[in-house]
Amino acid sequence: MASYTRGRKRDKQTYVAVTNFMLYGFNTKDLAAIAGVSSADLTNLGHVIAGTTIPTGKVIVLGARSPKPPRVTKKIANAGVGAQQSISTFCAFDKLTQALAAGWKLSTQRRGVSLRPETSAKNSLTAIAELSDGSLYCFPMNKADFSTYGASLGLKSPTTITTATERGKLVSGSSIPRPGNASLEVSGGTFSSFYSTDAKDTASTAGFAILTDEVVITTGPAPTT
């Protein structure tokens, strides 16, 4: 382990815009404490520090498989022997041009959410659960199960996602936001699935047992954990 990393915990919760509607949260060490890195450097990347008030209409995303913001790197000027030579971190998607102009280099492109439609040759499609914060949680589902249970669970088909606004609210594999889960006793076993928040009562009426509720973070101070 390099000496400049010893004793430095990744305990600074930080957020960057990953779409026009989402702030992507991640843990990092105190980047501003690194010699040769200023608060202006981080401002150029669109970093929002935990505790800052979340703008109205923004969705907080934690632990998502996708979307992910672009990642950038920068060499630290005049770094001495034994000191950190470069820095790598996430950048807000709408600050990338500004960051590049400030000397940062793009190392990883932003990653969006891919949708598998019903017309795919595969036996599964991408089902979409809508949550109360406006996010659209995507997950794989057997086509036959979607046809049988999708309406009761309030799930959307990928063909219904037709606008840039809808695409900007797609998220997959996140710990937050995350839909509630419901199960139904069927012949030969138990079927379980996520459900759209507004369809909770509909699912219950259809015989589903509500196992968990959605997990979202609403507008307010960005969480510190």
Side-chain angles (χ1 to χ4, degrees):
M1 180 185 293
S3 60
Y4 58 78
T5 64
R6 267 184 229 124
R8 292 197 178 182
K9 297 180 179 180
R10 295 182 178 271
D11 58 356
K12 301 297 180 183
Q13 188 76 18
T14 305
Y15 302 85
V16 295
V18 65
T19 72
N20 284 322
F21 308 97
M22 292 183 171
L23 293 178
Y24 180 92
F26 59 100
N27 286 322
T28 183
K29 59 187 177 183
D30 188 356
L31 300 178
I34 299 173
V37 179
S38 68
S39 57
D41 288 316
L42 304 181
T43 299
N44 284 332
L45 303 180
H47 281 203
V48 177
I49 305 303
T52 303
T53 299
I54 305 168
T56 301
K58 298 292 185 182
V59 174
I60 288 291
V61 176
L62 301 178
R65 181 169 58 250
S66 58
K68 281 188 180 294
R71 195 170 185 90
V72 294
T73 60
K74 187 177 185 180
K75 290 185 178 180
I76 299 175
N78 303 316
V81 176
Q84 186 164 342
Q85 302 294 310
S86 64
I87 179 175
S88 175
T89 188
F90 289 114
C91 173
F93 84 101
D94 55 352
K95 296 290 186 180
L96 184 56
T97 299
Q98 181 176 324
L100 296 177
W104 295 86
K105 304 295 184 183
L106 177 65
S107 57
T108 306
Q109 292 274 7
R110 177 173 62 154
R111 184 169 72 201
V113 179
S114 61
L115 299 177
R116 177 179 291 171
E118 296 95 321
T119 55
S120 167
K122 303 291 185 180
N123 289 326
S124 65
L125 53 72
T126 301
I128 304 164
E130 185 170 8
L131 280 65
S132 65
D133 62 356
S135 61
L136 300 170
Y137 187 91
C138 304
F139 62 99
M141 190 175 192
N142 181 276
K143 290 180 182 179
D145 289 336
F146 182 86
S147 177
T148 303
Y149 306 114
S152 297
L153 296 168
L155 302 178
K156 294 177 176 289
S157 159
T159 58
T160 66
I161 306 302
T162 59
T163 68
T165 296
E166 290 169 323
R167 286 189 289 271
K169 295 180 179 181
L170 298 175
V171 61
S172 175
S174 58
S175 54
I176 296 175
R178 197 164 186 84
N181 195 271
S183 69
L184 179 70
E185 294 301 320
V186 296
S187 176
T190 301
F191 169 75
S192 63
S193 172
F194 295 120
Y195 63 89
S196 290
T197 301
D198 284 350
K200 182 177 180 179
D201 290 343
T202 303
S204 183
T205 299
F208 281 87
I210 304 302
L211 304 180
T212 62
D213 291 319
E214 68 169 14
V215 180
V216 298
I217 296 174
T218 56
T219 300
T224 56
T225 57

